[in-house]
Structures are given as structure tokens and as C-alpha cells.
């Protein structure tokens, strides 16, 4: 979440059909993500490619 | 009139004191329109700032009292106060709907609290308490209410509350607070965990009956049993005081043993270690003076999830335990799945006799991908401490040789690719299948140590399923047949200069310990809570004497006879 906040673009995280603001740790909690769940990142705006790479890598790391 | 209540003992101990009742009513603000939303926004921001300053003060106090690990909760609280979906949404609401700050705060925070309290994961449900805690603090600031400051309590008391927030718990003045009791919560609630690290008695989850307790009523609580009584009669009170004095004396007596080595009355050194099943158990093992980890069950890494743990994940867990034990021996058992422990995602065929089926190492030799991943993680972690690797459920020599061959292969490959691996890793096996116990002399040439898993050894020797209550009478650790097996295992190991430990329930059983000592077992591994009484007992026993006595017990007719024999002789000590 702190990593997501560094980017000016919008970051959404989707898990089991529910979409929330990836910059909010409270909203992320309500997704109830468990280890090995498949989540989708939706990023839109400035620096979106860079954000996708950093945050994508981060999610994978957390899971390992 | 005396009223008895029952809950979950979350942190053991006994206490007698007057009740302080923390008000549990939640404030529900009314919606009202404001004329100047900008001013209302300012009021909200001030309240948030004040709440932040308050939390920073509590965090500093918690760090001093509880250590930095526990104080981390409050770092989390500070982050909540910066959360865009909470703060920005409240601010938008005030600005756009021109409503009062109290109402906006209540509505937004309540939606998070409701969603989270309905989550399946208990840890996520606990987060709802954090949000309630933090938003309640901001709410009090908005309303100009001084929150009940628990650090100001000066008279001895027992706190009665619906739940205690982490900040409540951290502020407790330990000079005054004798214990606390809550209506909701479980053993894993924040407040329960904190009570254990503060070492004050706590009972949680008593239920709504707790509301009947009035402020100032005399309360006695026995958190070891999870019971409390209100307004006890003079007789009850006298009895309870006696019980408490006895408990306190005993606790102080046992505490002395935490920092002492385990030495028998005739000066022989043995090792008392802890069995652990998850990472949190390590601290408890150390607090209770464990001289090592005698059995680290690695199943927790594999269970309660949908895929196998990665090598990296395992490596981190093993490294954590090895580092935390700082050079003390750590026996890690490779995966013991099967029997009563299933892993749905491995999609294994149903067996009609799972305890006699493809369990533990049998499965690992078949699913070598799983086995090799674990071994690599272990080998890589080995340089961070004193690692010993142990294979479970071995019945015949070929299984052991195959497991060792795979281990060597992985080690060679890692070393060849430049990974540092300790060259002093001991390799041992569990003795839990009778065939292995009977031919221990053959196995002893191929291992560095044996650890006797008595729960399974008894089950397989007696042919009695330990999950089946109708045959539970056959669970007889002190039966001469079991003792004879143990003796022959120790003898076989001694011939080869190898050591033997016991890591089943039996190792912490005060009646069995004198026999195990006498039979020549060098290491006893048990749950952390059993360590201190066991160490105290060992200090009273002469190994020489019990060598003779345990020899005599082998010729007895049954467990009962052995047990009374042990008790008679212990009384004589």
C-alpha cells in the first residue's frame, strides 16, 4: 500500500470479483486475500507501466 | 450472592480485587447539517492530529513496557489514520454532504468494522477491533471526552470490559491491575496475546453475563481454569486466597528453574528441549528455559493453504528458528503428512487405513519434488544455527538410506552451485514404528541420533488407533512392552556412541520421566509449559538409582504396577 501510494496513477486491486483502492490498506483487508489467491491489478494514469512492474513484483514476493 | 462465570483462560494466574467496569456502550452520533463544512473539516483534522499524538505517546509507553515487537501494533494504528479510504472518504463526506464530522466518521468507520467482523479469517476479524479502537479515539477527541485513561488506575482492581483494545492493554498500570475479564475474544485476540506477554491473568469470551457485574464488586478469578466468581462468601474467599497463595508460591519456585541447566541429583547432565509447531512457539520455549528444540513439526507450513509452500518460504521459517535459538540444537522433522493430517491440494488417493498407509517419509520418497524442496530449504538454512534433520516413520533400512542419499545429492548440488551449507548437520530418525525399534542396532550405524516418538510407537505397538476412544485404554506409555522397546533402542544407540531423545507426550509426563532417565535417554522434548516442572523433578532424581529401578519395572505385569512403583519410590526421594 505504501508502495502503491508513491505513484500518481490510480491503483485498483481485484480479488474474487471485488475491486478496491490499492492505496488503502483497510480496503485491501476487506478483500480477505489468502496466500496463493490470484489477484488482479488495475492501474491507470501517469507512470502506469512502472507502477505495474514494481507492484506486480511486490505481490509475487509477498506470496513467496 | 455468589455468581460463577466461565470463559476462556487466555493468560494463566489467579487474582482477587474489586471490579472496574469499562463502559461498553458505543456512541451513535446523529446526522446533522453544518453550515460551514470547511470549519467542520478543520475540526475533524484537529481531532485526527490529537489522536495521532495520543497514539504516539501510547506507542512509546508500550515499547518500554512490552518491547518493540508488541509496540508495532500502534505503528499500524498510525497508518490507519492515514488511510485514504478512511480519512479522504470522511473528508469528502463532510465537504460534499455538509454533515457533522461525528456522523461522517461513524458511518465510514462502521462500514469497515462490519465488513471485517464478518470475515472468515480470525486475524482479519481482529482488525475490526483496531479500527474501533482508533476511530473511537478520534470520536472522543471530536466530542471533547477524555478517554478512560487506564494508566491512571491506582487501586488494585480487575478490569471488566466487553473487549480491551490494544491501546487499553498497553496503558494498563501493572502496579494496580490484577487481571482482566472480557465479554468477547479468543485466545488469539490482541488482548489475550498481550496479557500473556505482560504475564497478568486474563479470561476472555465470558459472554453477555459479564454485564451483570457491578463496579466495585469483589471478583475472584482463576484464569488457569477460566472461571471467575463475584461477591464470594467469606468461606469461598478464604479458600480462594489459600489457592492463590499456593499458586503464587509454586510459580515463583518453578521460575527459578528457567535459567538453570538440567542436572540430576547425582550430577548427570541431560537436555530438556521444547516441541514446537509454529514460529510463535519459539519465544515461549525460550521463556521456559528450553535447552533446544527437540521436535520442530514442519506441517504448519503446509497446512491451511491451497498450494505447497515454496522453498524460500520454508527457508525463512527454518532460518528464523535457528537464529532465534542462537546455537542451541534445533531438530527439524521433515514433512509428516498422512495419518490424521491431510493436504487436500496434494490430491492423494483415499486410504482405508491412513495411519498404516503412505504417511510421512513414505510419501516423501514417492513425491520427491516435495521432499527435495524441503531438504534444500533446510540445507540452506543450516548455516544460521545448530540444525539437526530428522526423518519420520521409517520402518526399514532402505527407506533411511534412500532419504540420506537424496539429502546428500541435494547437498552436493547446492555446494557445487556455491551455496554455503553447514558441514556439521546431524541426521537422525524418529523411532515410532516397532520394526525400527526392534532393529535399532542396525539403524544406529547409519544415523547420528534417534528420537522416540512415543505417541505413534505406542499406537503401533498396541495396535490401537489413538483417535479411537473405545481403545484409548491401550494408550499405556509406562507399559513394560513400551519400556523394553525404549531400553533396546537406547542400548543399540549406546553401542554406536549415538544419542537418544524422546519427543512424545511421554517426555513431559512426570511419572514416566524417572523411568526414561533410568533407561538412559539423554534428551527429553516436550511442550514448553511442561519444561519447568520436568527440570525440577530431574533435579531430585538420581540417575544411578533409577537405572536399577527402571530395570526392575521391565519385569512387571502391566502399566498400573509400574506407575505405582514409580510413585512409591518418588515419595521416598
Amino acid at each position: 500500500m505504501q508502495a502503491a501510494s508513491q505513484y500518481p496513477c490510480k491503483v485498483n486491486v481485484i480479488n474474487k470479483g471485488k475491486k478496491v483502492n490499492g492505496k488503502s490498506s483497510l480496503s485491501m483487508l476487506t478483500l480477505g486475500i489468502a496466500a496463493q489467491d490470484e489477484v488482479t491489478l488495475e492501474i491507470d494514469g501517469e507512470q502506469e507501466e512502472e507502477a505495474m512492474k514494481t507492484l506486480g513484483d511486490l505481490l509475487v514476493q509477498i506470496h513467496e | 450472592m455468589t455468581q460463577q462465570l466461565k470463559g476462556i483462560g487466555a493468560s494463566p494466574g489467579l487474582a482477587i480485587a474489586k471490579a472496574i467496569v469499562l463502559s461498553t456502550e458505543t456512541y451513535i452520533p446523529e446526522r446533522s447539517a453544518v453550515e460551514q463544512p470547511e470549519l467542520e473539516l478543520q475540526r475533524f483534522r484537529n481531532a485526527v492530529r490529537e489522536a495521532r499524538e495520543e497514539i504516539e505517546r501510547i506507542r512509546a509507553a508500550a515499547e518500554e513496557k512490552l518491547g518493540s515487537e508488541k509496540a508495532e501494533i500502534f505503528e499500524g494504528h498510525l497508518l490507519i489514520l492515514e488511510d485514504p479510504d478512511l480519512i479522504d472518504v470522511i473528508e469528502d463526506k463532510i465537504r460534499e454532504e455538509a454533515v457533522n464530522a461525528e456522523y461522517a466518521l461513524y458511518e465510514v468507520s462502521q462500514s469497515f468494522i462490519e465488513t471485517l467482523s464478518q470475515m472468515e479469517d480470525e486475524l482479519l476479524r481482529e482488525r475490526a477491533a483496531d479500527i474501533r479502537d482508533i476511530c473511537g479515539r478520534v470520536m472522543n477527541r471530536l466530542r471533547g471526552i477524555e478517554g478512560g485513561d487506564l494508566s491512571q488506575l491506582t487501586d488494585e482492581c480487575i478490569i471488566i470490559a466487553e473487549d480491551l483494545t490494544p491501546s487499553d492493554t498497553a496503558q494498563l498500570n501493572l502496579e494496580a491491575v490484577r487481571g482482566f475479564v472480557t465479554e468477547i475474544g479468543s485466545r488469539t485476540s490482541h488482548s489475550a496475546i498481550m496479557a500473556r506477554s505482560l504475564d497478568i491473568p486474563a479470561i476472555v469470551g465470558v459472554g453477555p453475563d459479564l454485564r451483570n457485574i457491578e463496579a466495585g464488586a469483589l471478583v475472584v478469578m482463576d484464569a488457569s481454569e477460566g472461571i471467575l466468581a463475584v461477591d464470594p462468601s467469606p468461606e469461598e474467599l478464604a479458600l480462594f486466597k489459600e489457592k492463590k497463595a499456593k499458586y503464587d508460591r509454586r510459580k515463583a519456585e518453578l521460575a527459578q528453574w528457567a535459567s538453570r541447566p538440567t542436572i540430576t541429583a547425582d550430577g548427570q547432565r541431560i537436555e530438556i528441549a521444547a516441541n514446537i509447531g509454529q514460529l510463535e512457539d519459539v519465544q515461549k520455549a525460550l521463556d521456559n528455559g528450553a535447552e533446544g528444540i527437540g521436535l520442530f513439526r514442519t506441517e504448519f507450513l503446509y497446512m491451511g493453504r491451497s498450494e505447497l509452500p515454496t522453498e524460500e518460504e520454508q527457508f525463512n521459517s527454518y532460518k528464523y528458528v535457528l537464529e532465534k535459538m542462537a546455537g542451541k540444537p534445533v531438530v527439524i522433522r521433515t514433512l509428516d503428512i498422512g495419518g490424521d493430517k491431510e493436504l487436500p491440494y496434494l490430491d492423494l488417493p483415499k486410504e482405508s487405513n491412513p495411519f498404516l498407509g503412505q504417511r510421512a517419509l513414505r510419501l516423501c520418497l514417492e513425491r520427491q519434488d516435495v521432499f527435495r524442496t524441503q531438504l534444500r530449504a533446510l540445507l540452506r538454512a543450516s548455516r544460521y544455527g545448530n540444525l539437526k534433520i530428522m526423518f519420520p516413520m521409517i520402518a526399514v533400512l532402505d527407506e533411511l538410506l534412500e532419504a540420506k542419499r537424496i539429502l546428500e545429492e541435494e547437498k552436493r548440488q547446492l555446494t557445487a552451485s556455491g551455496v554455503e551449507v553447514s558441514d556439521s548437520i546431524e541426521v537422525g530418525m524418529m523411532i515410532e514404528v516397532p520394526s525400527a525399534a526392534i532393529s535399532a542396532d542396525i539403524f544406529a550405524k547409519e544415523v547420528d541420533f534417534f528420537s522416540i516418538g512415543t505417541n505413534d510407537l505406542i499406537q503401533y505397538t498396541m495396535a490401537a488407533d489413538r483417535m479411537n476412544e473405545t481403545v484409548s485404554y491401550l494408550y499405556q506409555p509406562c507399559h513394560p512392552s513400551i519400556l523394553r522397546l525404549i531400553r533396546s533402542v537406547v542400548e543399540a544407540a549406546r553401542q554406536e556412541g549415538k544419542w537418544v531423545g524422546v519427543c512424545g507426550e511421554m517426555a513431559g509426563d512426570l511419572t514416566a520421566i524417572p523411568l526414561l532417565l533410568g533407561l538412559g535417554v539423554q534428551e527429553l522434548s516436550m511442550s514448553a509449559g511442561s519444561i519447568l516442572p520436568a527440570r525440577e523433578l530431574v533435579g531430585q532424581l538420581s540417575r544411578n538409582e533409577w537405572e536399577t529401578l527402571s530395570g526392575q519395572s521391565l519385569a512387571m505385569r502391566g502399566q498400573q504396577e509400574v506407575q505405582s512403583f514409580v510413585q512409591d519410590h518418588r515419595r521416598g526421594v
Side-chain angles (χ1 to χ4, degrees), chain B residues 290-362:
Chain B
E291 291 159 296
I293 300 296
L295 171 64
F296 179 5
R297 304 183 176 97
T298 54
E299 290 72 61
F300 82 96
L301 285 163
Y302 296 81
M303 298 176 80
R305 49 191 295 154
S306 53
E307 263 179 42
L308 286 165
T310 61
E311 181 182 322
E312 204 56 27
E313 197 179 338
Q314 296 193 50
F315 164 76
N316 284 324
S317 301
Y318 304 149
K319 173 171 175 260
Y320 172 85
V321 175
L322 286 163
E323 283 185 335
K324 193 109 180 155
M325 292 306 291
K328 293 191 175 109
V330 176
V331 180
I332 303 186
R333 179 177 71 185
T334 60
L335 181 61
D336 182 8
I337 216 70
D340 55 337
K341 290 168 283 191
E342 286 180 48
L343 291 185
Y345 56 83
L346 282 187
D347 216 11
L348 300 169
K350 264 258 170 284
E351 298 177 311
S352 53
N353 261 320
F355 271 114
L356 303 181
Q358 201 180 41
R359 235 192 106 175
L361 192 78
R362 300 171 179 182

Side-chain angles (χ1 to χ4, degrees), chain B residues 9-25:
Chain B
S11 172
L14 289 84
I16 311 172
K18 290 216 157 86
I20 292 240
V21 179
L22 294 190
S23 156
T24 58
E25 97 189 88

